[in-house]
């Protein structure tokens, strides 16, 4: 089938749902589709537009509801288990504050911030030309606001494989091995962009990687896919390997930041998050996991004033 058109099976895989759910969407006229020679086909461009429209509507609705709650912030973008700890500790110390989060990937998080759908964007986008994280992408994805970039932590990112590393995986060149079943991250996520950069560097065609099209939205989902034997290698943070008892092969250490508009910097919730990063309790929990570096936590990396 043409790359511009997808079959029911292909669109189900593309959306990460089963074919029955696709037929329900067709029946309720919620997904762009057409019938050709008795079969349903789906124009990829229109499906992409439909996905983006629904994501925006969901964020708009979330933002509307959050505004109704005093002391509430909405965050979106990348994902890391430490964000769950941060959210839990924030609630414990400040029960009057609410931090709602959605995992849509670094790129979409920045776009949502620019559109006003979210208060905070979590991001770890790496620019290979400058060797810098996040800052080179500000003018591209958030041109409508004056951003402030605050570091949360540095983390180890690497291959997560079954305990004992039975396939003896060492690096990206091994992804072409027989028996490899990869689990990928969703398009637009910082991890997906990093994976694609490395594949390009090693001159590996994604079609040579079995399972490349198998996408999930979080680091924990990568780990669970391996734990449940749906895959045997993926890229995730070191925290996932430790929490799930999986083998970890380091790839890089990356910077993970919180990005907000400048006029929100002195918001009570934002300041509470920054203060929390320096508490003994939070630091102890992070050190207990290992693989994280808090040396710049809470530091303003960029504020648009020559930072």
């Amino acid at each position: 089938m043409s790359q511009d058109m997808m079959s029911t099976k292909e669109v189900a895989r593309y959306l990460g749902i089963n074919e029955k759910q696709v037929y329900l969407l067709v029946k309720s006229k919620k997904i762009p589709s057409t019938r050709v020679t008795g079969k349903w086909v789906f124009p990829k461009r229109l499906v992409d537009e439909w996905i983006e429209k629904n994501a925006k509507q969901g964020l708009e609705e979330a933002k509307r509801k959050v505004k109704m709650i005093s002391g509430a912030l909405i965050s979106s973008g990348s994902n890391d288990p430490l964000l769950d700890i941060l959210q839990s500790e924030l609630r414990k110390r400040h029960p009057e504050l609410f931090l709602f989060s959605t995992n849509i990937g670094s790129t979409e998080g920045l776009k949502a911030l620019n559109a006003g759908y979210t208060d905070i964007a979590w991001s770890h986008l790496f620019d290979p030309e400058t060797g810098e994280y996040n800052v080179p992408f500000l003018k591209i994805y958030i041109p409508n606001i004056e951003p402030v970039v605050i570091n949360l932590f540095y983390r180890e990112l690497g291959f997560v494989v079954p305990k004992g590393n039975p396939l003896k995986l060492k690096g990206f060149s091994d992804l072409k091995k027989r028996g490899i079943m990869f689990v990928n991250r969703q398009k637009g996520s910082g991890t997906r962009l990093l994976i694609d950069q490395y594949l390009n560097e090693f001159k590996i065609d994604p079609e040579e990687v079995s399972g490349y099209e198998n996408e999930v939205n979080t680091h924990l989902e990568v780990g669970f896919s391996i734990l449940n034997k749906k895959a045997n290698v993926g890229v995730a943070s070191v925290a996932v390997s430790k929490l799930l008892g999986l083998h970890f092969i380091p790839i890089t250490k990356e910077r993970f930041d919180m990005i907000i508009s400048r006029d929100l910097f002195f918001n009570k919730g934002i300041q509470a998050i920054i203060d929390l990063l320096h508490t003994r309790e939070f630091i102890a929990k992070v050190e207990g996991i290992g693989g994280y570096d808090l040396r710049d936590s809470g530091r303003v990396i960029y504020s648009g004033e020559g930072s």
Side-chain angles (χ1 to χ4, degrees), residues 136-157:
F137 299 92
L138 300 180
K139 289 183 179 179
I140 300 171
Y141 295 124
I142 50 175
N144 297 336
I145 69 169
E146 294 183 72
V148 176
V149 180
I150 303 159
N151 178 249
L152 289 184
F153 47 79
Y154 295 85
R155 68 180 182 183
E156 283 191 72
L157 199 71

Side-chain angles (χ1 to χ4, degrees), residues 199-258:
L199 290 179
N200 182 60
E201 182 181 325
F202 282 86
K203 296 180 172 53
I204 299 172
D205 188 324
E207 291 187 1
E208 297 179 274
V209 181
S210 179
Y212 176 86
E213 73 287 347
N214 178 23
E215 299 177 0
V216 296
N217 294 328
T218 68
H219 290 259
L220 274 174
E221 285 180 275
V222 170
F224 284 135
S225 295
I226 293 162
L227 208 60
N228 296 329
K229 299 182 179 179
K230 292 181 179 178
N232 51 29
V233 59
V235 176
S237 69
V238 66
V240 167
S241 66
K242 290 178 178 291
L243 290 169
L244 300 181
L246 298 169
H247 189 81
F248 184 77
I249 303 155
I251 295 174
T252 188
K253 179 176 278 189
E254 59 178 13
R255 199 181 79 210
F256 195 104
D257 296 330
M258 172 172 73

Side-chain angles (χ1 to χ4, degrees), residues 22 31 33 102 116 130 136 165 200 232 272:
V22 173
I31 188 172
S33 58
T102 178
T130 63
N165 191 13
N200 182 60
N232 51 29

Side-chain angles (χ1 to χ4, degrees), residues 122-141:
W122 312 118
S123 182
H124 60 107
L125 293 177
F126 178 69
D127 177 33
E129 289 188 13
T130 63
E132 175 65 279
Y133 282 90
N134 299 318
V135 175
F137 299 92
L138 300 180
K139 289 183 179 179
I140 300 171
Y141 295 124

